[in-house]
Structure formats: structure tokens, C-alpha cells
Amino acid sequence: MKAIHFSMLTVVLMFAAAGCNPDRNGESKNVETQAAVVDTASVAPDSVSPEWNSQLDSMLRVAATAPQDTNLAELYFDIGEIYINFDYEKAKEYYLKMRDLNEQLDWNKGRHWFINGFSVLLARQSLEDSALIVLQHGLEWEREINNKKWIVETATVAGQIYNVKEWYETALQYYMEALPLCEQLDNPDLLGRLHAEIGKIYIQFNQFDKTLEHCEKAYALTPENLDVITNLARSYFYTEQYEKSIRHFEDALTLCKQQHNEYYAGYIYYQLGSLYLKIFDIDKAEKHARQAKDISEDVDFPDVYLASLIILGRLEEWKGNTVLSENHIKEALHISIERDNAEGQLECYKLLAELAAVQHNYRQSNQYWNQHDSLEFAMDNAKSLRAAAEMEAKYETEKKELEIERQQTVISRQQMLRNVLAGGVAVVVLIALMLWYMLGLRNRRNRALTELNDALAGLNSALAERNDALAEINTTKDKFFNIISHDIKNPAVAQRDALKILVQSAARWDAGRLEDYLNGLLETAEDQVELVYNLLGWAQLQTGRMVFLPAPFNLANGLRSDISLIRSMAEKKNISLTANVPADAVITGDSNMLATAVRNLLTNAVKFTSAGGTVALDVARTGTDSTAPEYTISVSDTGVGMTADQIDSLFRLDSAHSRPGTADEQGSGLGLIVCRELIEKHGSALHVESAPDSGSRFWFVV
């Protein structure tokens, strides 16, 4: 059974209160535990314990009369750590009071505490980017003062926040920066926690051997740490060492009972249920899953409760109790939707589809599979956007490094020229002194200088050619990254801001204005979806991930849904769309690739045709071979047309650019490039005929 993913940060929440106490004899607060509360699901206000209320009241009374010294700054930090669990604005107020007092006292230790505490608060408010800005500035300062322990702690918090953003490679870079520094410190607990975090990251890359390596190192350093023991047990599970996994889970369970830690006990029972399900020990799997369900229901741990329901649903399905299994899975689906747990929803849709098929309800099964596939596609798109954002950030960093390297090269070249000039002056002086008795060598020296000048001229020419080639490569690369950074990021940011306005103003708007606003958002989203499709298609073609699978298929059937979709788009612009596709046209090719190419051509035609115009799709048989007929597929329009220069730049990534459509539709310029490459996969070529104000015609033969 596929494991249900939920953040371990939620599991560690119960350690927050103990971990945030000041280390009176040490150098810093326990920022490692503090980083564990980065999870955006905070404790609700009504869940604050009486002990917290009593402790908070006492601390506030002391703070009201305390002198302005480092003890008060530390007290402000402790108050912020309590408020962070139920009142973000109050927590922010006391963290900022601490920051101001730190600056007044010039207290570096307090500055370090503020950097980590305030970044955790921002992350808990889903402001991960702002939190990372605070941490990056803090790291620069800590590197300047060369405090290795602080660098390790701050880099670890940054890595955990990048982990929450699912920028796993960047998170690993921060952990690896911290690791050699941490190894130089005499702090086994800090080093053990860092190895545990690195082990978790390698799970995301499916590198379970490295996960096991770091988890074993963490366990050797901190054998009494629940999180470390549990992660070691999980690493044995991933490497199929099930007996060791069970033993360590049971050790962790014993430690939970000693510490009266019901939260973590529920999580471990769920892990044991998953493990026994994996090795088909049905009785133990059911026993532990039910224990996890009961505990998580008592202590309000919905992620474990959800996962336990799915295990029980799978077990009941195996036992043939389809109705009971369906009840468990539907309850799990309801919880996963409420908590926006996409992985849980995927697993529930899959299991419900299987149960419906077992009951011969194939229509319902198909609906569940459609919901599963739609959600999976949305998750893949979100993952692609996160990868694009991470790639953009790395590109900007590399670009800065290349600029620094270029400037250093220019400086070195200037220094070399100065040295050459100084040497030339020395030679001239020497020649002047020796000229009276070296006249016989004049001609030979002149020839040597001429050859040197020719060599320098050749060198300059070669450098100019190399710079031109590099400029062309950079132009192509910049075009691609501009598409990612501008055409994807800017509409996404605009949509986010528009949605914020909608949330703030929806209650005041009437139905007509609200409908107009939502229609505008929908049109923007449709443009962005088209861009993402084209970008993903181009990327798949370039990386070889789009597999060419030719087979005979009926062209009319293959294009029916796309023609219907484009016709709706055309009608919105008052454009007439005609489609002449023979009902018996059977083509051998990749149906998905050809449908994508025709759909992009039709969309492009509608985009650049004004109201009252026409767009036509014509398919005509042109070959004479009855066993393997050829068909010419053409898309023509009465739109704005193109000049010869515009046609020449259509299929070049370094010069392709998107013109707005007749209704200001936006794009990236990739659509036609993708079309051409899809058609070339079929051994054909895309042809263009167009003139300004005379429409365009695109056609190819398959």
C-alpha cells in the first residue's frame, strides 16, 4: 500500500514547550526543536493548557516591571514562544520587542535567538519566503562573526523551511553546509539532529541507503531521542529490513509510554500497522491500526487518524467486507479534503475506485479514477511550478557568480595589458640606450614586433568569435528562463493578488460584479494553463520524456473533443469555426501528439482572428497508396497574418516572442515550436503561408 505522507513537523509539536526553555548554562536556545514548529497547523486557542496560562500570566507580570537588560530580552523571547502556539500577532509583538532591546544592548546572542524564533513565526504563518530572507541575512551576519554553532543552527532552520516548501535540493545544500561545521563542535545532540534531518531529505530522493546511513549516525549520537529512533526504524523499513524496523519502533513505543507521550505513540502504532500490512501480517496490522486510530481520536491527531482509516479500509477490502471498507475510506476522504491532504485524497480515490470495480459499479469506479487523475495532474503541475521557482532561484545565483567571474577576468586582462605595456616601455628604453651600436638589429626587431601584433589581432578576433557564440547561447537560455520567470510567475502572482482582493471584497460586491470578476480570473487561468501545457510539452520533448507511440487511429474521433473545445473558444470571440474531417480517415501516428499539434494550431488561429472572422480545419487525402494513404491537415484563418520576418522567427527559441491576440490573449511563443517538434516526430514538416492582414495557413502531411 502506498504510504500516506504527512509532515513529521506535526509529530514534534508536543516537544515545543520543553524545547523552547532557555539553556542557562549554554550558548543558545534550543532552536532545533523550535524549528520543528514550522508546521502551519498551529495549536488552536482553546487548546491552551492551564499550565500555559499560569506560566504566561507570571511571565507577563515580571516583564512589566523588569529592568531593560538581557534577562528581559530573554523573557520577551520566552513569551513569544508561548504565544506562537495560539496568537501570532502577540508572538510577533514580543519578538520585535526583543529585537529592539537586542539592538539597544548590542547583544549578539539575543540577535541569534531572534533570527531563528522570528523566522519560525513567519513560517508558521505560511510566509516561508519572508522567513528565508530573515535567515539568509542572519547567516551572512553569523558567517562574518564566524560563530560555527549559530551558523549550524540557523542553516538547519533554513533547511527545514525549504523542506516545507518542498525545495528538497536546496534544503540539502543548507544541511550539507552545516554538517562539517557541526562535526567540529562538541555537541552530539545537535549533530545527531542534523544527521536525522539529512536522512529525512534523502527519503524524498528515494536514496534509502543514504537515509539509513545518516539515521544510524543520528541514533549513535542521540539514542534516547524519539524522533531519531523512529526515523531509524523508518529507514530500516525503506531498506526492507523489517525485523530491525519492528524492533526500533517497539523501542520508541516503550520510550513513549515512559514519557506518557500519547501523540507520538499514536504515530508509531500507525507506522507499525503500515509495516505489518507490508509483510501481510493481517492480525497485527489491524491491531496496531486500531490502536493508532483510537489514540489519535483521543488526542486530536487527524493525520494519524486519516492514515489509520486507510489501513483499516484496505484490510476490510482484503477480508471481503466491501461496505465496511468503503465506510472507512469515505471517512478518510472527507478528512483529507478538509485538511487539504492531496496524498491522502489520491489514495482514497484509488481505493474507492477499486472497491467500486469489485462491486461491478464500473461507472462509479471510472468517476473515482477521473478524480484521482485530475488531482494527480494538479499535483504534478504544482510540483513543476515549485521546480521552476527553485530553478529560477538557482539560475539567478549562478548568473551572479558568472558576472563576478567575468569581472575578475576583465581585471586580470587589464593587469596583463598593463604588464605588457610596462614591458614594452622597458624595451623601448633599452633600445634607445643601445640604438647607437644595435642598428644592425633594427629590421629583425621590427619584423618580430609585426608578428606579435598579428598574433594579438588574431587573439582578439578569436575572443570576439567566442563572445558572439556565448552571447547566442545566453540569449537562448535567457529566453527560456524569461518564459519561466515572467510568463508563469507574473500571472501566478497576479492571480494570487486578485484572489486576495476577491476574499477582501466579495462580501461587498453584488452578484453581477462578482461574476464579471470571476470570469476575468477564469480567462487568466485558462491562458496560464495553455502556457503550462506548452512549456511542459516542450520540456518533455527536449528531455526525451515524451514517448512516441505510433498506432492506427481514426482522425475524426481523435480530434472530436478538441474541435468542440476550440469551437467554444471561437464562439466567445464571434468567430466561425469549420471542420472538414473525413469520417473514414485512418492515420498511423501518435494520437496524443497529433491531437496536441492540431489543438495548438487551432488555438493560435482563434487567438489572432478578430470577431466576424473564420477559422477552418481541413483534412484531405492526397496519397495514391490505398494501403497507406497520406492526408494533408491544414488550419487556415482570416486573421491578422504575419510578415516574412515574423514567419522566419516563429520556430526559433532565441527570437520567438508572443504577440497579444486580437482580444489581448497572452502566450509564451512556445506553442508553435512544440507543434513543429511533434509533427517532426512523425517524419513530416510544418509549413506556413501568411501575409499581413490576409490571414495564415499552417499545414502538414501524415
Side-chain angles (χ1 to χ4, degrees), residues 229-230 232-251 271-272 275:
I229 299 172
T230 306
L232 179 59
R234 292 172 67 204
S235 65
Y236 282 130
F237 174 82
Y238 292 131
T239 53
E240 300 183 355
Q241 300 180 59
Y242 300 124
E243 292 184 1
K244 289 184 177 180
S245 180
I246 292 170
R247 186 167 67 250
H248 282 82
F249 274 133
E250 290 176 346
D251 289 344
Q271 289 286 358
L272 283 168
L275 194 157

Side-chain angles (χ1 to χ4, degrees), residues 393-445:
K394 290 183 178 179
Y395 169 70
E396 291 298 329
T397 301
E398 293 173 357
K399 188 175 181 181
K400 291 178 182 177
E401 292 174 352
L402 288 173
E403 178 62 19
I404 293 172
E405 184 178 347
R406 187 191 67 80
Q407 292 176 356
Q408 290 175 342
T409 302
V410 170
I411 293 171
S412 299
R413 187 180 301 166
Q414 291 174 345
Q415 183 64 40
M416 181 186 69
L417 291 175
R418 284 195 294 269
N419 293 339
V420 170
L421 180 60
V425 171
V427 170
V428 170
V429 171
L430 182 61
I431 291 174
L433 293 174
M434 300 178 64
L435 186 62
W436 62 276
Y437 67 90
M438 296 182 64
L439 292 177
L441 299 176
R442 182 183 58 186
N443 291 335
R444 188 171 63 184
R445 290 187 180 277

Side-chain angles (χ1 to χ4, degrees), residues 271-331:
Q271 289 286 358
L272 283 168
S274 299
L275 194 157
Y276 282 118
L277 188 66
K278 176 74 174 178
I279 61 178
F280 299 100
D281 191 336
I282 307 303
D283 293 337
K284 289 184 178 180
E286 182 175 8
K287 171 187 173 184
H288 288 91
R290 291 194 182 281
Q291 288 174 306
K293 175 176 175 291
D294 293 339
I295 291 176
S296 59
E297 188 174 17
D298 291 338
V299 299
D300 191 23
F301 198 167
D303 286 315
V304 169
Y305 186 82
L306 161 64
S308 303
L309 283 174
I310 292 178
I311 294 176
L312 292 172
R314 174 63 81 185
L315 289 169
E316 295 299 337
E317 179 190 14
W318 288 358
K319 290 192 275 187
N321 300 329
T322 55
V323 174
L324 187 55
S325 175
E326 189 175 27
N327 290 339
H328 285 316
I329 301 305
K330 284 185 176 179
E331 183 181 357

Side-chain angles (χ1 to χ4, degrees), residues 268-555:
I268 295 171
Y269 277 125
Y270 151 70
Q271 289 286 358
L272 283 168
S274 299
L275 194 157
Y276 282 118
L277 188 66
K278 176 74 174 178
I279 61 178
F280 299 100
D281 191 336
I282 307 303
D283 293 337
K284 289 184 178 180
E286 182 175 8
K287 171 187 173 184
H288 288 91
R290 291 194 182 281
Q291 288 174 306
K293 175 176 175 291
D294 293 339
I295 291 176
S296 59
E297 188 174 17
D298 291 338
V299 299
D300 191 23
F301 198 167
D303 286 315
V304 169
Y305 186 82
L306 161 64
S308 303
L309 283 174
I310 292 178
I311 294 176
L312 292 172
R314 174 63 81 185
L315 289 169
E316 295 299 337
E317 179 190 14
W318 288 358
K319 290 192 275 187
N321 300 329
T322 55
V323 174
L324 187 55
S325 175
E326 189 175 27
N327 290 339
H328 285 316
I329 301 305
K330 284 185 176 179
E331 183 181 357
L333 178 60
H334 176 73
I335 295 172
S336 62
I337 292 173
E338 280 188 342
R339 294 185 60 75
D340 197 23
N341 187 325
E343 293 285 349
Q345 292 177 54
L346 277 181
E347 186 69 12
C348 289
Y349 285 135
K350 175 184 174 183
L351 294 176
L352 288 172
E354 293 175 359
L355 287 169
V358 169
Q359 301 174 63
H360 306 293
N361 190 348
Y362 300 112
R363 176 176 295 180
Q364 184 68 52
S365 177
N366 188 54
Q367 289 176 355
Y368 283 130
W369 277 122
N370 288 339
Q371 290 173 297
H372 175 280
D373 294 342
S374 298
L375 180 58
E376 191 172 51
F377 179 78
M379 291 171 63
D380 289 341
N381 279 348
K383 185 180 292 185
S384 299
L385 290 175
R386 287 193 297 271
E390 187 172 11
M391 186 176 7
E392 179 189 359
K394 290 183 178 179
Y395 169 70
E396 291 298 329
T397 301
E398 293 173 357
K399 188 175 181 181
K400 291 178 182 177
E401 292 174 352
L402 288 173
E403 178 62 19
I404 293 172
E405 184 178 347
R406 187 191 67 80
Q407 292 176 356
Q408 290 175 342
T409 302
V410 170
I411 293 171
S412 299
R413 187 180 301 166
Q414 291 174 345
Q415 183 64 40
M416 181 186 69
L417 291 175
R418 284 195 294 269
N419 293 339
V420 170
L421 180 60
V425 171
V427 170
V428 170
V429 171
L430 182 61
I431 291 174
L433 293 174
M434 300 178 64
L435 186 62
W436 62 276
Y437 67 90
M438 296 182 64
L439 292 177
L441 299 176
R442 182 183 58 186
N443 291 335
R444 188 171 63 184
R445 290 187 180 277
N446 287 340
R447 286 194 300 270
L449 289 172
T450 300
E451 290 173 358
L452 177 61
N453 288 333
D454 291 340
L456 289 173
L459 177 61
N460 289 333
S461 176
L463 289 173
E465 291 176 359
R466 180 184 177 189
N467 289 337
D468 290 341
L470 289 173
E472 183 176 356
I473 293 172
N474 283 332
T475 300
T476 301
K477 181 176 65 176
D478 288 343
K479 171 63 181 176
F480 177 68
F481 283 111
N482 283 339
I483 291 171
I484 295 174
S485 64
H486 182 272
D487 292 342
I488 291 181
K489 182 183 73 177
N490 289 356
V493 172
Q495 282 183 336
R496 182 198 64 188
D497 294 340
L499 286 171
K500 286 182 178 179
I501 294 173
L502 178 62
V503 170
Q504 296 169 357
S505 306
R508 302 194 304 270
W509 290 352
D510 57 32
R513 183 176 182 185
L514 188 60
E515 182 179 0
D516 291 341
Y517 196 88
L518 290 173
N519 284 333
L521 278 177
L522 179 59
E523 290 176 1
T524 303
E526 289 174 347
D527 291 340
Q528 192 174 1
V529 168
E530 178 190 355
L531 169 62
V532 171
Y533 274 128
N534 286 333
L535 184 59
L536 290 176
W538 184 85
Q540 287 178 327
L541 284 168
Q542 299 305 308
T543 58
R545 295 176 62 188
M546 184 176 286
V547 182
F548 178 58
L549 299 173
F553 71 98
N554 184 284
L555 186 61

Side-chain angles (χ1 to χ4, degrees), residues 481-697:
F481 283 111
N482 283 339
I483 291 171
I484 295 174
S485 64
H486 182 272
D487 292 342
I488 291 181
K489 182 183 73 177
N490 289 356
V493 172
Q495 282 183 336
R496 182 198 64 188
D497 294 340
L499 286 171
K500 286 182 178 179
I501 294 173
L502 178 62
V503 170
Q504 296 169 357
S505 306
R508 302 194 304 270
W509 290 352
D510 57 32
R513 183 176 182 185
L514 188 60
E515 182 179 0
D516 291 341
Y517 196 88
L518 290 173
N519 284 333
L521 278 177
L522 179 59
E523 290 176 1
T524 303
E526 289 174 347
D527 291 340
Q528 192 174 1
V529 168
E530 178 190 355
L531 169 62
V532 171
Y533 274 128
N534 286 333
L535 184 59
L536 290 176
W538 184 85
Q540 287 178 327
L541 284 168
Q542 299 305 308
T543 58
R545 295 176 62 188
M546 184 176 286
V547 182
F548 178 58
L549 299 173
F553 71 98
N554 184 284
L555 186 61
N557 293 337
L559 297 179
R560 183 173 292 111
S561 62
D562 292 315
I563 292 173
S564 176
L565 175 64
I566 303 304
R567 180 170 281 114
S568 298
M569 294 170 54
E571 289 174 356
K572 290 180 181 178
K573 291 184 67 173
N574 193 24
I575 295 171
S576 174
L577 172 64
T578 62
N580 180 22
V581 183
D584 60 347
V586 176
I587 289 179
T588 298
D590 189 310
S591 59
N592 289 329
M593 288 188 180
L594 288 176
T596 299
V598 173
R599 180 173 67 249
N600 279 356
L601 291 175
L602 286 171
T603 301
N604 213 48
V606 172
K607 177 180 177 181
F608 294 105
T609 301
S610 301
T614 61
V615 174
L617 168 65
D618 294 296
V619 178
R621 181 168 176 170
T622 54
T624 58
D625 188 347
S626 60
T627 60
E630 289 185 347
Y631 289 88
T632 298
I633 302 174
S634 68
V635 174
S636 57
D637 61 66
T638 60
V640 297
M642 294 177 286
T643 65
D645 290 339
Q646 288 172 329
I647 294 174
D648 185 58
S649 66
L650 278 178
F651 305 110
R652 293 179 55 193
L653 183 62
D654 61 335
S655 61
H657 61 278
S658 174
R659 295 184 296 164
T662 56
D664 290 329
E665 300 96 327
Q666 300 299 317
S668 66
L670 278 175
L672 289 176
I673 295 175
V674 172
C675 285
R676 184 187 67 174
E677 296 192 15
L678 291 174
I679 291 167
E680 288 177 351
K681 287 280 189 180
H682 291 77
S684 185
L686 180 60
H687 305 277
V688 186
E689 299 172 356
S690 184
D693 301 320
S694 299
S696 303
R697 177 174 179 258

